[in-house]
Amino acid sequence: MMKGMLAGIVGIFLLAHPASAKPLSPLDVEAVGRLHNLSYDPINDLDDLLGHGRITARFQIFRFLHGTTASRSITIQYVAHTYMSEDHLVRLKLRARPDGIYQVCAKPDGEGLRCGETQ
């Protein structure tokens, strides 16, 4: 009975913490908040048929999941085809740049900055 219960607990832990999820480095912040998009600057890449842009936004943080920032309202940048929605809360992984702007980290299967890896 105890052995079966222990196996169930281990199974639940593995489902909740997938092996592919890399731990965040001390340089990274993970937070939940709301975006206010500010500007879209096109990236001119002849190999990009859809066209990407570097988007600057204000991110109002409501809850920190990992790390912290000096302020709960920070400037962020991300690369996308269009603006992220301002209508709902978003969960973002971020890394501070020397200029004080936070770069949004790539999703595990996406292109861009790899948080969790010290760079």
PDB file of all heavy atoms in Angstrom, residues 41-81:
ATOM      1  N   ASP A  41       9.063  48.407 -33.910  1.00  0.00           N
ATOM      2  CA  ASP A  41      10.121  48.750 -34.853  1.00  0.00           C
ATOM      3  C   ASP A  41      10.399  47.539 -35.724  1.00  0.00           C
ATOM      4  O   ASP A  41      10.857  46.505 -35.224  1.00  0.00           O
ATOM      5  CB  ASP A  41      11.398  49.158 -34.106  1.00  0.00           C
ATOM      6  CG  ASP A  41      11.190  50.399 -33.259  1.00  0.00           C
ATOM      7  OD1 ASP A  41      10.651  51.384 -33.792  1.00  0.00           O
ATOM      8  OD2 ASP A  41      11.539  50.369 -32.064  1.00  0.00           O
ATOM      9  N   PRO A  42      10.131  47.629 -37.048  1.00  0.00           N
ATOM     10  CA  PRO A  42      10.325  46.484 -37.936  1.00  0.00           C
ATOM     11  C   PRO A  42      11.785  46.017 -37.960  1.00  0.00           C
ATOM     12  O   PRO A  42      12.706  46.822 -37.863  1.00  0.00           O
ATOM     13  CB  PRO A  42       9.916  46.986 -39.310  1.00  0.00           C
ATOM     14  CG  PRO A  42       9.360  48.340 -39.131  1.00  0.00           C
ATOM     15  CD  PRO A  42       9.686  48.815 -37.762  1.00  0.00           C
ATOM     16  N   ILE A  43      11.937  44.710 -38.059  1.00  0.00           N
ATOM     17  CA  ILE A  43      13.263  44.118 -38.246  1.00  0.00           C
ATOM     18  C   ILE A  43      13.353  43.728 -39.711  1.00  0.00           C
ATOM     19  O   ILE A  43      12.550  42.947 -40.197  1.00  0.00           O
ATOM     20  CB  ILE A  43      13.444  42.871 -37.350  1.00  0.00           C
ATOM     21  CG1 ILE A  43      13.354  43.268 -35.888  1.00  0.00           C
ATOM     22  CG2 ILE A  43      14.767  42.179 -37.670  1.00  0.00           C
ATOM     23  CD1 ILE A  43      13.334  42.080 -34.934  1.00  0.00           C
ATOM     24  N   ASN A  44      14.290  44.295 -40.416  1.00  0.00           N
ATOM     25  CA  ASN A  44      14.423  44.033 -41.848  1.00  0.00           C
ATOM     26  C   ASN A  44      15.288  42.804 -42.071  1.00  0.00           C
ATOM     27  O   ASN A  44      16.511  42.873 -42.018  1.00  0.00           O
ATOM     28  CB  ASN A  44      15.013  45.252 -42.561  1.00  0.00           C
ATOM     29  CG  ASN A  44      14.102  46.445 -42.458  1.00  0.00           C
ATOM     30  OD1 ASN A  44      12.895  46.313 -42.599  1.00  0.00           O
ATOM     31  ND2 ASN A  44      14.668  47.616 -42.201  1.00  0.00           N
ATOM     32  N   ASP A  45      14.626  41.674 -42.301  1.00  0.00           N
ATOM     33  CA  ASP A  45      15.305  40.405 -42.555  1.00  0.00           C
ATOM     34  C   ASP A  45      14.702  39.827 -43.829  1.00  0.00           C
ATOM     35  O   ASP A  45      13.519  39.475 -43.872  1.00  0.00           O
ATOM     36  CB  ASP A  45      15.096  39.455 -41.372  1.00  0.00           C
ATOM     37  CG  ASP A  45      15.796  38.119 -41.559  1.00  0.00           C
ATOM     38  OD1 ASP A  45      16.416  37.887 -42.625  1.00  0.00           O
ATOM     39  OD2 ASP A  45      15.724  37.301 -40.631  1.00  0.00           O
ATOM     40  N   LEU A  46      15.506  39.734 -44.880  1.00  0.00           N
ATOM     41  CA  LEU A  46      15.009  39.253 -46.168  1.00  0.00           C
ATOM     42  C   LEU A  46      14.515  37.806 -46.106  1.00  0.00           C
ATOM     43  O   LEU A  46      13.697  37.396 -46.926  1.00  0.00           O
ATOM     44  CB  LEU A  46      16.106  39.394 -47.226  1.00  0.00           C
ATOM     45  CG  LEU A  46      16.555  40.836 -47.502  1.00  0.00           C
ATOM     46  CD1 LEU A  46      17.718  40.846 -48.481  1.00  0.00           C
ATOM     47  CD2 LEU A  46      15.401  41.669 -48.005  1.00  0.00           C
ATOM     48  N   ASP A  47      14.999  37.018 -45.141  1.00  0.00           N
ATOM     49  CA  ASP A  47      14.576  35.627 -45.006  1.00  0.00           C
ATOM     50  C   ASP A  47      13.289  35.469 -44.194  1.00  0.00           C
ATOM     51  O   ASP A  47      12.766  34.373 -44.052  1.00  0.00           O
ATOM     52  CB  ASP A  47      15.682  34.796 -44.352  1.00  0.00           C
ATOM     53  CG  ASP A  47      16.913  34.689 -45.230  1.00  0.00           C
ATOM     54  OD1 ASP A  47      16.754  34.713 -46.470  1.00  0.00           O
ATOM     55  OD2 ASP A  47      18.027  34.607 -44.686  1.00  0.00           O
ATOM     56  N   ASP A  48      12.772  36.546 -43.662  1.00  0.00           N
ATOM     57  CA  ASP A  48      11.567  36.508 -42.828  1.00  0.00           C
ATOM     58  C   ASP A  48      10.373  36.981 -43.650  1.00  0.00           C
ATOM     59  O   ASP A  48      10.121  38.172 -43.773  1.00  0.00           O
ATOM     60  CB  ASP A  48      11.776  37.391 -41.589  1.00  0.00           C
ATOM     61  CG  ASP A  48      10.622  37.333 -40.616  1.00  0.00           C
ATOM     62  OD1 ASP A  48       9.675  36.558 -40.845  1.00  0.00           O
ATOM     63  OD2 ASP A  48      10.665  38.080 -39.628  1.00  0.00           O
ATOM     64  N   LEU A  49       9.613  36.035 -44.208  1.00  0.00           N
ATOM     65  CA  LEU A  49       8.497  36.382 -45.085  1.00  0.00           C
ATOM     66  C   LEU A  49       7.360  37.080 -44.360  1.00  0.00           C
ATOM     67  O   LEU A  49       6.694  37.947 -44.906  1.00  0.00           O
ATOM     68  CB  LEU A  49       7.966  35.125 -45.779  1.00  0.00           C
ATOM     69  CG  LEU A  49       8.951  34.432 -46.716  1.00  0.00           C
ATOM     70  CD1 LEU A  49       8.357  33.145 -47.251  1.00  0.00           C
ATOM     71  CD2 LEU A  49       9.329  35.350 -47.855  1.00  0.00           C
ATOM     72  N   LEU A  50       7.095  36.692 -43.107  1.00  0.00           N
ATOM     73  CA  LEU A  50       5.990  37.281 -42.356  1.00  0.00           C
ATOM     74  C   LEU A  50       6.349  38.624 -41.741  1.00  0.00           C
ATOM     75  O   LEU A  50       5.487  39.456 -41.510  1.00  0.00           O
ATOM     76  CB  LEU A  50       5.524  36.324 -41.253  1.00  0.00           C
ATOM     77  CG  LEU A  50       4.950  35.007 -41.748  1.00  0.00           C
ATOM     78  CD1 LEU A  50       4.634  34.103 -40.568  1.00  0.00           C
ATOM     79  CD2 LEU A  50       3.708  35.241 -42.580  1.00  0.00           C
ATOM     80  N   GLY A  51       7.604  38.820 -41.457  1.00  0.00           N
ATOM     81  CA  GLY A  51       8.060  40.068 -40.874  1.00  0.00           C
ATOM     82  C   GLY A  51       7.904  40.119 -39.365  1.00  0.00           C
ATOM     83  O   GLY A  51       6.829  39.916 -38.832  1.00  0.00           O
ATOM     84  N   HIS A  52       8.994  40.319 -38.693  1.00  0.00           N
ATOM     85  CA  HIS A  52       9.008  40.469 -37.241  1.00  0.00           C
ATOM     86  C   HIS A  52       9.334  41.912 -36.897  1.00  0.00           C
ATOM     87  O   HIS A  52       9.891  42.647 -37.707  1.00  0.00           O
ATOM     88  CB  HIS A  52      10.095  39.574 -36.609  1.00  0.00           C
ATOM     89  CG  HIS A  52       9.704  38.155 -36.465  1.00  0.00           C
ATOM     90  ND1 HIS A  52       9.828  37.246 -37.481  1.00  0.00           N
ATOM     91  CD2 HIS A  52       9.199  37.482 -35.411  1.00  0.00           C
ATOM     92  CE1 HIS A  52       9.422  36.058 -37.061  1.00  0.00           C
ATOM     93  NE2 HIS A  52       9.034  36.179 -35.811  1.00  0.00           N
ATOM     94  N   GLY A  53       9.007  42.271 -35.682  1.00  0.00           N
ATOM     95  CA  GLY A  53       9.377  43.585 -35.187  1.00  0.00           C
ATOM     96  C   GLY A  53       9.842  43.484 -33.751  1.00  0.00           C
ATOM     97  O   GLY A  53       9.541  42.519 -33.046  1.00  0.00           O
ATOM     98  N   ARG A  54      10.604  44.481 -33.330  1.00  0.00           N
ATOM     99  CA  ARG A  54      11.016  44.581 -31.931  1.00  0.00           C
ATOM    100  C   ARG A  54       9.998  45.495 -31.260  1.00  0.00           C
ATOM    101  O   ARG A  54       9.860  46.657 -31.621  1.00  0.00           O
ATOM    102  CB  ARG A  54      12.419  45.151 -31.816  1.00  0.00           C
ATOM    103  CG  ARG A  54      12.904  45.232 -30.376  1.00  0.00           C
ATOM    104  CD  ARG A  54      14.366  45.582 -30.281  1.00  0.00           C
ATOM    105  NE  ARG A  54      15.239  44.867 -31.187  1.00  0.00           N
ATOM    106  CZ  ARG A  54      15.655  43.601 -31.046  1.00  0.00           C
ATOM    107  NH1 ARG A  54      15.258  42.905 -30.012  1.00  0.00           N
ATOM    108  NH2 ARG A  54      16.447  43.034 -31.918  1.00  0.00           N
ATOM    109  N   ILE A  55       9.271  44.935 -30.303  1.00  0.00           N
ATOM    110  CA  ILE A  55       8.194  45.668 -29.647  1.00  0.00           C
ATOM    111  C   ILE A  55       8.628  46.068 -28.245  1.00  0.00           C
ATOM    112  O   ILE A  55       9.152  45.244 -27.491  1.00  0.00           O
ATOM    113  CB  ILE A  55       6.913  44.816 -29.596  1.00  0.00           C
ATOM    114  CG1 ILE A  55       6.490  44.480 -31.038  1.00  0.00           C
ATOM    115  CG2 ILE A  55       5.805  45.538 -28.843  1.00  0.00           C
ATOM    116  CD1 ILE A  55       5.400  43.460 -31.147  1.00  0.00           C
ATOM    117  N   THR A  56       8.419  47.329 -27.929  1.00  0.00           N
ATOM    118  CA  THR A  56       8.707  47.851 -26.592  1.00  0.00           C
ATOM    119  C   THR A  56       7.372  48.048 -25.881  1.00  0.00           C
ATOM    120  O   THR A  56       6.398  48.505 -26.485  1.00  0.00           O
ATOM    121  CB  THR A  56       9.458  49.190 -26.685  1.00  0.00           C
ATOM    122  OG1 THR A  56      10.661  48.988 -27.433  1.00  0.00           O
ATOM    123  CG2 THR A  56       9.807  49.735 -25.311  1.00  0.00           C
ATOM    124  N   ALA A  57       7.337  47.660 -24.598  1.00  0.00           N
ATOM    125  CA  ALA A  57       6.097  47.755 -23.819  1.00  0.00           C
ATOM    126  C   ALA A  57       6.425  48.054 -22.362  1.00  0.00           C
ATOM    127  O   ALA A  57       7.556  47.865 -21.915  1.00  0.00           O
ATOM    128  CB  ALA A  57       5.317  46.448 -23.918  1.00  0.00           C
ATOM    129  N   ARG A  58       5.419  48.522 -21.633  1.00  0.00           N
ATOM    130  CA  ARG A  58       5.500  48.630 -20.166  1.00  0.00           C
ATOM    131  C   ARG A  58       4.844  47.375 -19.622  1.00  0.00           C
ATOM    132  O   ARG A  58       3.814  46.933 -20.131  1.00  0.00           O
ATOM    133  CB  ARG A  58       4.756  49.866 -19.642  1.00  0.00           C
ATOM    134  CG  ARG A  58       5.381  51.180 -20.005  1.00  0.00           C
ATOM    135  CD  ARG A  58       6.763  51.421 -19.485  1.00  0.00           C
ATOM    136  NE  ARG A  58       6.811  51.489 -18.023  1.00  0.00           N
ATOM    137  CZ  ARG A  58       7.943  51.464 -17.331  1.00  0.00           C
ATOM    138  NH1 ARG A  58       9.102  51.366 -17.949  1.00  0.00           N
ATOM    139  NH2 ARG A  58       7.922  51.532 -16.025  1.00  0.00           N
ATOM    140  N   PHE A  59       5.443  46.809 -18.602  1.00  0.00           N
ATOM    141  CA  PHE A  59       4.912  45.596 -17.971  1.00  0.00           C
ATOM    142  C   PHE A  59       4.645  45.922 -16.513  1.00  0.00           C
ATOM    143  O   PHE A  59       5.573  46.227 -15.762  1.00  0.00           O
ATOM    144  CB  PHE A  59       5.919  44.449 -18.116  1.00  0.00           C
ATOM    145  CG  PHE A  59       5.431  43.120 -17.635  1.00  0.00           C
ATOM    146  CD1 PHE A  59       4.224  42.590 -18.050  1.00  0.00           C
ATOM    147  CD2 PHE A  59       6.210  42.365 -16.778  1.00  0.00           C
ATOM    148  CE1 PHE A  59       3.793  41.347 -17.614  1.00  0.00           C
ATOM    149  CE2 PHE A  59       5.793  41.122 -16.335  1.00  0.00           C
ATOM    150  CZ  PHE A  59       4.579  40.603 -16.763  1.00  0.00           C
ATOM    151  N   GLN A  60       3.389  45.914 -16.131  1.00  0.00           N
ATOM    152  CA  GLN A  60       2.977  46.157 -14.751  1.00  0.00           C
ATOM    153  C   GLN A  60       2.900  44.806 -14.048  1.00  0.00           C
ATOM    154  O   GLN A  60       2.044  43.990 -14.357  1.00  0.00           O
ATOM    155  CB  GLN A  60       1.611  46.857 -14.713  1.00  0.00           C
ATOM    156  CG  GLN A  60       1.116  47.153 -13.321  1.00  0.00           C
ATOM    157  CD  GLN A  60       1.997  48.154 -12.577  1.00  0.00           C
ATOM    158  OE1 GLN A  60       2.402  49.160 -13.129  1.00  0.00           O
ATOM    159  NE2 GLN A  60       2.287  47.865 -11.327  1.00  0.00           N
ATOM    160  N   ILE A  61       3.802  44.577 -13.109  1.00  0.00           N
ATOM    161  CA  ILE A  61       3.901  43.283 -12.438  1.00  0.00           C
ATOM    162  C   ILE A  61       2.947  43.230 -11.251  1.00  0.00           C
ATOM    163  O   ILE A  61       2.941  44.122 -10.404  1.00  0.00           O
ATOM    164  CB  ILE A  61       5.350  43.029 -11.976  1.00  0.00           C
ATOM    165  CG1 ILE A  61       6.277  42.996 -13.192  1.00  0.00           C
ATOM    166  CG2 ILE A  61       5.434  41.732 -11.170  1.00  0.00           C
ATOM    167  CD1 ILE A  61       7.744  42.987 -12.865  1.00  0.00           C
ATOM    168  N   PHE A  62       2.152  42.168 -11.217  1.00  0.00           N
ATOM    169  CA  PHE A  62       1.230  41.940 -10.103  1.00  0.00           C
ATOM    170  C   PHE A  62       1.757  40.882  -9.145  1.00  0.00           C
ATOM    171  O   PHE A  62       1.452  40.907  -7.964  1.00  0.00           O
ATOM    172  CB  PHE A  62      -0.149  41.525 -10.614  1.00  0.00           C
ATOM    173  CG  PHE A  62      -0.824  42.606 -11.411  1.00  0.00           C
ATOM    174  CD1 PHE A  62      -1.286  42.357 -12.686  1.00  0.00           C
ATOM    175  CD2 PHE A  62      -0.988  43.885 -10.902  1.00  0.00           C
ATOM    176  CE1 PHE A  62      -1.907  43.355 -13.426  1.00  0.00           C
ATOM    177  CE2 PHE A  62      -1.608  44.890 -11.630  1.00  0.00           C
ATOM    178  CZ  PHE A  62      -2.065  44.615 -12.897  1.00  0.00           C
ATOM    179  N   ARG A  63       2.558  39.936  -9.681  1.00  0.00           N
ATOM    180  CA  ARG A  63       3.068  38.855  -8.833  1.00  0.00           C
ATOM    181  C   ARG A  63       4.402  38.343  -9.382  1.00  0.00           C
ATOM    182  O   ARG A  63       4.531  38.069 -10.567  1.00  0.00           O
ATOM    183  CB  ARG A  63       2.054  37.713  -8.806  1.00  0.00           C
ATOM    184  CG  ARG A  63       2.471  36.573  -7.932  1.00  0.00           C
ATOM    185  CD  ARG A  63       1.345  35.578  -7.764  1.00  0.00           C
ATOM    186  NE  ARG A  63       1.840  34.424  -7.064  1.00  0.00           N
ATOM    187  CZ  ARG A  63       1.554  33.184  -7.380  1.00  0.00           C
ATOM    188  NH1 ARG A  63       0.747  32.937  -8.380  1.00  0.00           N
ATOM    189  NH2 ARG A  63       2.058  32.198  -6.696  1.00  0.00           N
ATOM    190  N   PHE A  64       5.391  38.223  -8.491  1.00  0.00           N
ATOM    191  CA  PHE A  64       6.679  37.637  -8.849  1.00  0.00           C
ATOM    192  C   PHE A  64       6.637  36.137  -8.572  1.00  0.00           C
ATOM    193  O   PHE A  64       6.210  35.718  -7.493  1.00  0.00           O
ATOM    194  CB  PHE A  64       7.816  38.260  -8.025  1.00  0.00           C
ATOM    195  CG  PHE A  64       8.126  39.675  -8.409  1.00  0.00           C
ATOM    196  CD1 PHE A  64       7.659  40.737  -7.645  1.00  0.00           C
ATOM    197  CD2 PHE A  64       8.880  39.956  -9.529  1.00  0.00           C
ATOM    198  CE1 PHE A  64       7.939  42.052  -7.989  1.00  0.00           C
ATOM    199  CE2 PHE A  64       9.174  41.267  -9.890  1.00  0.00           C
ATOM    200  CZ  PHE A  64       8.696  42.313  -9.117  1.00  0.00           C
ATOM    201  N   LEU A  65       7.088  35.346  -9.534  1.00  0.00           N
ATOM    202  CA  LEU A  65       7.191  33.899  -9.363  1.00  0.00           C
ATOM    203  C   LEU A  65       8.637  33.477  -9.125  1.00  0.00           C
ATOM    204  O   LEU A  65       8.890  32.446  -8.523  1.00  0.00           O
ATOM    205  CB  LEU A  65       6.625  33.177 -10.591  1.00  0.00           C
ATOM    206  CG  LEU A  65       5.175  33.542 -10.936  1.00  0.00           C
ATOM    207  CD1 LEU A  65       4.777  32.911 -12.249  1.00  0.00           C
ATOM    208  CD2 LEU A  65       4.240  33.132  -9.815  1.00  0.00           C
ATOM    209  N   HIS A  66       9.582  34.265  -9.643  1.00  0.00           N
ATOM    210  CA  HIS A  66      11.014  34.014  -9.472  1.00  0.00           C
ATOM    211  C   HIS A  66      11.732  35.347  -9.610  1.00  0.00           C
ATOM    212  O   HIS A  66      11.497  36.091 -10.555  1.00  0.00           O
ATOM    213  CB  HIS A  66      11.512  33.035 -10.542  1.00  0.00           C
ATOM    214  CG  HIS A  66      12.997  32.809 -10.484  1.00  0.00           C
ATOM    215  ND1 HIS A  66      13.568  31.883  -9.661  1.00  0.00           N
ATOM    216  CD2 HIS A  66      14.011  33.409 -11.140  1.00  0.00           C
ATOM    217  CE1 HIS A  66      14.886  31.918  -9.821  1.00  0.00           C
ATOM    218  NE2 HIS A  66      15.173  32.835 -10.712  1.00  0.00           N
ATOM    219  N   GLY A  67      12.602  35.650  -8.673  1.00  0.00           N
ATOM    220  CA  GLY A  67      13.371  36.885  -8.739  1.00  0.00           C
ATOM    221  C   GLY A  67      12.521  38.101  -8.428  1.00  0.00           C
ATOM    222  O   GLY A  67      11.369  37.990  -8.016  1.00  0.00           O
ATOM    223  N   THR A  68      13.118  39.263  -8.667  1.00  0.00           N
ATOM    224  CA  THR A  68      12.427  40.523  -8.395  1.00  0.00           C
ATOM    225  C   THR A  68      13.043  41.631  -9.248  1.00  0.00           C
ATOM    226  O   THR A  68      14.117  41.450  -9.823  1.00  0.00           O
ATOM    227  CB  THR A  68      12.488  40.874  -6.891  1.00  0.00           C
ATOM    228  OG1 THR A  68      11.639  41.981  -6.640  1.00  0.00           O
ATOM    229  CG2 THR A  68      13.893  41.175  -6.441  1.00  0.00           C
ATOM    230  N   THR A  69      12.361  42.754  -9.326  1.00  0.00           N
ATOM    231  CA  THR A  69      12.868  43.939 -10.018  1.00  0.00           C
ATOM    232  C   THR A  69      12.791  45.122  -9.047  1.00  0.00           C
ATOM    233  O   THR A  69      12.090  45.049  -8.040  1.00  0.00           O
ATOM    234  CB  THR A  69      12.023  44.252 -11.273  1.00  0.00           C
ATOM    235  OG1 THR A  69      10.668  44.473 -10.878  1.00  0.00           O
ATOM    236  CG2 THR A  69      12.079  43.115 -12.276  1.00  0.00           C
ATOM    237  N   ALA A  70      13.485  46.193  -9.369  1.00  0.00           N
ATOM    238  CA  ALA A  70      13.483  47.367  -8.491  1.00  0.00           C
ATOM    239  C   ALA A  70      12.119  48.049  -8.468  1.00  0.00           C
ATOM    240  O   ALA A  70      11.764  48.696  -7.498  1.00  0.00           O
ATOM    241  CB  ALA A  70      14.557  48.356  -8.946  1.00  0.00           C
ATOM    242  N   SER A  71      11.364  47.896  -9.533  1.00  0.00           N
ATOM    243  CA  SER A  71      10.048  48.516  -9.647  1.00  0.00           C
ATOM    244  C   SER A  71       9.050  47.484 -10.165  1.00  0.00           C
ATOM    245  O   SER A  71       9.439  46.533 -10.853  1.00  0.00           O
ATOM    246  CB  SER A  71      10.124  49.698 -10.615  1.00  0.00           C
ATOM    247  OG  SER A  71       8.843  50.184 -10.915  1.00  0.00           O
ATOM    248  N   ARG A  72       7.787  47.671  -9.881  1.00  0.00           N
ATOM    249  CA  ARG A  72       6.754  46.770 -10.402  1.00  0.00           C
ATOM    250  C   ARG A  72       6.268  47.205 -11.785  1.00  0.00           C
ATOM    251  O   ARG A  72       5.458  46.528 -12.397  1.00  0.00           O
ATOM    252  CB  ARG A  72       5.581  46.670  -9.441  1.00  0.00           C
ATOM    253  CG  ARG A  72       5.923  45.831  -8.225  1.00  0.00           C
ATOM    254  CD  ARG A  72       4.692  45.550  -7.401  1.00  0.00           C
ATOM    255  NE  ARG A  72       4.990  44.627  -6.335  1.00  0.00           N
ATOM    256  CZ  ARG A  72       4.749  43.320  -6.401  1.00  0.00           C
ATOM    257  NH1 ARG A  72       4.226  42.792  -7.460  1.00  0.00           N
ATOM    258  NH2 ARG A  72       5.044  42.549  -5.371  1.00  0.00           N
ATOM    259  N   SER A  73       6.751  48.324 -12.289  1.00  0.00           N
ATOM    260  CA  SER A  73       6.441  48.781 -13.638  1.00  0.00           C
ATOM    261  C   SER A  73       7.764  48.919 -14.384  1.00  0.00           C
ATOM    262  O   SER A  73       8.568  49.808 -14.085  1.00  0.00           O
ATOM    263  CB  SER A  73       5.705  50.118 -13.592  1.00  0.00           C
ATOM    264  OG  SER A  73       5.405  50.554 -14.897  1.00  0.00           O
ATOM    265  N   ILE A  74       7.996  48.031 -15.346  1.00  0.00           N
ATOM    266  CA  ILE A  74       9.283  47.987 -16.044  1.00  0.00           C
ATOM    267  C   ILE A  74       9.068  48.067 -17.556  1.00  0.00           C
ATOM    268  O   ILE A  74       7.984  47.774 -18.060  1.00  0.00           O
ATOM    269  CB  ILE A  74      10.073  46.701 -15.700  1.00  0.00           C
ATOM    270  CG1 ILE A  74       9.284  45.446 -16.066  1.00  0.00           C
ATOM    271  CG2 ILE A  74      10.458  46.690 -14.222  1.00  0.00           C
ATOM    272  CD1 ILE A  74      10.050  44.148 -15.913  1.00  0.00           C
ATOM    273  N   THR A  75      10.111  48.468 -18.258  1.00  0.00           N
ATOM    274  CA  THR A  75      10.102  48.466 -19.719  1.00  0.00           C
ATOM    275  C   THR A  75      10.637  47.123 -20.190  1.00  0.00           C
ATOM    276  O   THR A  75      11.667  46.651 -19.700  1.00  0.00           O
ATOM    277  CB  THR A  75      10.966  49.606 -20.273  1.00  0.00           C
ATOM    278  OG1 THR A  75      10.465  50.848 -19.783  1.00  0.00           O
ATOM    279  CG2 THR A  75      10.950  49.621 -21.792  1.00  0.00           C
ATOM    280  N   ILE A  76       9.901  46.516 -21.136  1.00  0.00           N
ATOM    281  CA  ILE A  76      10.327  45.232 -21.693  1.00  0.00           C
ATOM    282  C   ILE A  76      10.393  45.341 -23.208  1.00  0.00           C
ATOM    283  O   ILE A  76       9.814  46.258 -23.800  1.00  0.00           O
ATOM    284  CB  ILE A  76       9.378  44.078 -21.297  1.00  0.00           C
ATOM    285  CG1 ILE A  76       7.982  44.286 -21.893  1.00  0.00           C
ATOM    286  CG2 ILE A  76       9.304  43.917 -19.784  1.00  0.00           C
ATOM    287  CD1 ILE A  76       7.078  43.073 -21.787  1.00  0.00           C
ATOM    288  N   GLN A  77      11.109  44.405 -23.835  1.00  0.00           N
ATOM    289  CA  GLN A  77      11.114  44.280 -25.286  1.00  0.00           C
ATOM    290  C   GLN A  77      10.941  42.818 -25.647  1.00  0.00           C
ATOM    291  O   GLN A  77      11.419  41.931 -24.948  1.00  0.00           O
ATOM    292  CB  GLN A  77      12.415  44.803 -25.888  1.00  0.00           C
ATOM    293  CG  GLN A  77      12.467  46.296 -25.963  1.00  0.00           C
ATOM    294  CD  GLN A  77      13.632  46.793 -26.793  1.00  0.00           C
ATOM    295  OE1 GLN A  77      14.644  46.125 -26.952  1.00  0.00           O
ATOM    296  NE2 GLN A  77      13.485  48.003 -27.312  1.00  0.00           N
ATOM    297  N   TYR A  78      10.218  42.616 -26.747  1.00  0.00           N
ATOM    298  CA  TYR A  78      10.041  41.260 -27.271  1.00  0.00           C
ATOM    299  C   TYR A  78       9.994  41.325 -28.791  1.00  0.00           C
ATOM    300  O   TYR A  78       9.749  42.381 -29.370  1.00  0.00           O
ATOM    301  CB  TYR A  78       8.802  40.579 -26.691  1.00  0.00           C
ATOM    302  CG  TYR A  78       7.481  41.255 -26.945  1.00  0.00           C
ATOM    303  CD1 TYR A  78       6.668  40.856 -28.003  1.00  0.00           C
ATOM    304  CD2 TYR A  78       7.021  42.284 -26.131  1.00  0.00           C
ATOM    305  CE1 TYR A  78       5.438  41.458 -28.237  1.00  0.00           C
ATOM    306  CE2 TYR A  78       5.799  42.886 -26.350  1.00  0.00           C
ATOM    307  CZ  TYR A  78       5.002  42.480 -27.403  1.00  0.00           C
ATOM    308  OH  TYR A  78       3.793  43.072 -27.632  1.00  0.00           O
ATOM    309  N   VAL A  79      10.257  40.199 -29.433  1.00  0.00           N
ATOM    310  CA  VAL A  79      10.225  40.106 -30.887  1.00  0.00           C
ATOM    311  C   VAL A  79       8.995  39.293 -31.266  1.00  0.00           C
ATOM    312  O   VAL A  79       8.774  38.208 -30.735  1.00  0.00           O
ATOM    313  CB  VAL A  79      11.509  39.438 -31.425  1.00  0.00           C
ATOM    314  CG1 VAL A  79      11.426  39.233 -32.929  1.00  0.00           C
ATOM    315  CG2 VAL A  79      12.731  40.276 -31.074  1.00  0.00           C
ATOM    316  N   ALA A  80       8.172  39.851 -32.179  1.00  0.00           N
ATOM    317  CA  ALA A  80       6.944  39.173 -32.590  1.00  0.00           C
ATOM    318  C   ALA A  80       6.458  39.745 -33.908  1.00  0.00           C
ATOM    319  O   ALA A  80       6.956  40.760 -34.382  1.00  0.00           O
ATOM    320  CB  ALA A  80       5.874  39.346 -31.510  1.00  0.00           C
ATOM    321  N   HIS A  81       5.443  39.082 -34.484  1.00  0.00           N
ATOM    322  CA  HIS A  81       4.802  39.593 -35.701  1.00  0.00           C
ATOM    323  C   HIS A  81       3.881  40.758 -35.372  1.00  0.00           C
ATOM    324  O   HIS A  81       3.714  41.668 -36.162  1.00  0.00           O
ATOM    325  CB  HIS A  81       3.971  38.496 -36.378  1.00  0.00           C
ATOM    326  CG  HIS A  81       4.779  37.332 -36.819  1.00  0.00           C
ATOM    327  ND1 HIS A  81       5.697  37.404 -37.836  1.00  0.00           N
ATOM    328  CD2 HIS A  81       4.818  36.057 -36.377  1.00  0.00           C
ATOM    329  CE1 HIS A  81       6.266  36.225 -38.000  1.00  0.00           C
ATOM    330  NE2 HIS A  81       5.753  35.396 -37.119  1.00  0.00           N
TER     331      HIS A  81
END
